[in-house]
Amino acid sequence: MTEILYCQSPALFLLAVVLLICFLLRRQAHRVRAALDLILCILLLIGGVVLYYLGIYGDCFTIHDFWQIRTSGWVGLGVVAAGSVWHLCKVCKRGVERRRTERAARQTEEAHRQALESARREAYEAGKADAAKERQPSPSTPETSALPLTPADAVSPERAAAPAADAPQSPAGGTGQAL
């Protein structure tokens, strides 16, 4: 049983490498998790070295063949590799889901923005149409431009400048126009 434990050093080293990679990837975004990854990486490295020395001390392997990975070591490596692949798949799946929800949110926001823009455009066109209707004369009032002007109706610039000269005078003086 102890030989199986002592042979898990390569698995601990592989797990330490995986955690070091996680630390390097997370150190900017998730500082606390990155620090925990680094601490665990250091502890796993220390544990791997301790297991190697205990394996040598317990005569499970010698200094000349300690680099050879035994069957139980391969099992440990397989477990770590499978766990790492599973974790990587889980992280990738979360990333895909996050991008999918962000894309859906962007599409919803874009549709909302387009709906607002079309509503603004329709309101602007309706306002222009209402303003154009208000500028057009109503059919009940006669148009003054339709009446023919005679030379007698025309006002000369001199008469327009001095209208008070032709106005009747009141007994108190003045033009007789109310102010």
Side-chain angles (χ1 to χ4, degrees):
M1 180 71 166
T2 57
E3 184 178 320
I4 294 173
L5 179 64
Y6 295 151
C7 291
Q8 297 308 312
S9 298
L12 292 178
F13 285 131
L14 179 63
L15 191 56
V17 168
V18 169
L19 286 173
L20 184 63
I21 291 170
C22 288
F23 165 75
L24 294 175
L25 293 176
R26 288 186 194 173
R27 65 181 170 188
Q28 295 298 325
H30 304 282
R31 293 179 190 260
V32 175
R33 283 185 177 177
L36 291 175
D37 286 344
L38 185 62
I39 291 169
L40 191 56
C41 173
I42 292 169
L43 289 175
L44 288 173
L45 287 174
I46 292 170
V49 171
V50 167
L51 285 179
Y52 265 131
Y53 280 116
L54 288 175
I56 291 173
Y57 182 72
D59 293 328
C60 293
F61 40 87
T62 63
I63 194 87
H64 301 289
D65 66 350
F66 77 96
W67 55 271
Q68 293 176 346
I69 301 175
R70 280 129 184 101
T71 306
S72 58
W74 283 110
V75 170
L77 281 173
V79 168
V80 169
S84 298
V85 168
W86 176 76
H87 182 69
L88 181 66
C89 289
K90 189 172 73 170
V91 167
C92 289
K93 183 179 176 184
R94 267 188 277 159
V96 166
E97 288 295 322
R98 187 184 71 237
R99 283 189 292 277
R100 194 175 289 156
T101 56
E102 287 173 357
R103 183 176 40 225
R106 275 195 313 269
Q107 288 174 347
T108 303
E109 183 178 329
E110 180 66 23
H112 180 69
R113 189 187 63 75
Q114 286 178 352
L116 284 176
E117 186 63 33
S118 66
R120 278 191 204 120
R121 194 176 321 110
E122 289 172 4
Y124 176 73
E125 293 298 325
K128 270 179 50 176
D130 288 345
K133 285 181 183 176
E134 288 177 4
R135 280 191 223 133
Q136 290 179 352
S138 65
S140 62
T141 59
E143 291 191 26
T144 56
S145 61
L147 298 176
L149 288 178
T150 61
D153 292 337
V155 178
S156 68
E158 294 85 22
R159 286 187 70 186
D166 293 340
Q169 297 286 327
S170 69
T175 60
Q177 295 176 346
L179 296 177

